[in-house]
Amino acid sequence: MIITGILLALLAGSLVSLQTIFNSKVNERTGSWSTTTMVLFTGFIASFLISLLVEGTNTFSFQDMKPWYWLSGAIGVGVVFCLVQGMKLLGPTYAISIVLTSQLSFALLFDSMGWLGLEQIPFSWNQLLGVLVIVGGIILFKFGGLNKDTSESSDKSPRSTPSQP
């Protein structure tokens, strides 16, 4: 069971990255809101058809669901729109790094507090340290290396100037 969960989580991570790249390519041809609409509409069609195939009439069974859970689709609009904009402004790797770190940080907060109906998991300093290590990695990734112009100019010897007569 744990191995299956790990494999599914790895697959989800790769699919999120792939979807983000596709979303940014769609956004190059149309506006951000059009991209969001298209992404969520095609996602609706795909998930609806798969749900009908797998779950049949249980697709329409929504027993004992808290009313605010219906907002998850609207939250998805924010996710897609913000991700498309973040990719446009930051590039894929940097944007995804920040998104995943934010996701991990909020998951830690929600788990530790037991919010939104989650089972409360006791906070540990090791969990916080793990998030901070990831944040440090993002900072090193983005700002730690020399940029191309600086590294090229430091490899060259100073230009000699002609001597004055």
Side-chain angles (χ1 to χ4, degrees):
M1 290 281 261
I2 290 176
I3 296 296
T4 302
I6 290 171
L7 291 174
L8 288 171
L10 287 170
L11 179 61
S14 66
L15 291 174
V16 166
S17 294
L18 186 62
Q19 181 192 24
T20 303
I21 292 167
F22 282 20
N23 292 354
S24 69
K25 295 300 181 186
V26 171
N27 191 52
E28 288 174 6
R29 306 273 190 260
T30 185
S32 296
W33 287 111
S34 298
T35 299
T36 303
T37 302
M38 193 224 48
V39 166
L40 293 175
F41 180 72
T42 57
F44 166 76
I45 298 296
S47 63
F48 183 68
L49 293 175
I50 293 168
S51 178
L52 287 175
L53 288 172
V54 174
E55 297 175 356
T57 58
N58 287 335
T59 294
F60 306 104
S61 178
F62 301 110
Q63 300 128 345
D64 301 322
M65 189 183 333
K66 300 200 184 306
W68 55 83
Y69 293 158
W70 287 85
L71 296 174
S72 68
I75 292 169
V77 171
V79 169
V80 172
F81 180 81
C82 291
L83 203 46
V84 166
Q85 292 302 307
M87 287 264 304
K88 188 185 329 183
L89 297 170
L90 301 173
T93 306
Y94 191 39
I96 292 291
S97 299
I98 293 171
V99 166
L100 294 179
T101 303
S102 174
Q103 185 177 1
L104 181 61
S105 299
F106 278 97
L108 175 60
L109 176 67
F110 296 154
D111 277 349
S112 298
M113 303 303 282
W115 290 347
L116 304 172
L118 296 174
E119 178 184 339
Q120 187 171 6
I121 297 173
F123 172 81
S124 78
W125 291 104
N126 287 343
Q127 293 167 329
L128 180 60
L129 181 61
V131 171
L132 293 175
V133 165
I134 293 171
V135 170
I138 292 170
I139 291 169
L140 281 175
F141 175 82
K142 183 62 180 171
F143 302 110
L146 295 173
N147 64 30
K148 188 175 178 184
D149 294 336
T150 306
S151 63
E152 284 181 359
S153 62
S154 64
D155 292 340
K156 294 178 183 177
S157 59
R159 293 183 184 152
S160 58
T161 56
S163 58
Q164 297 290 329

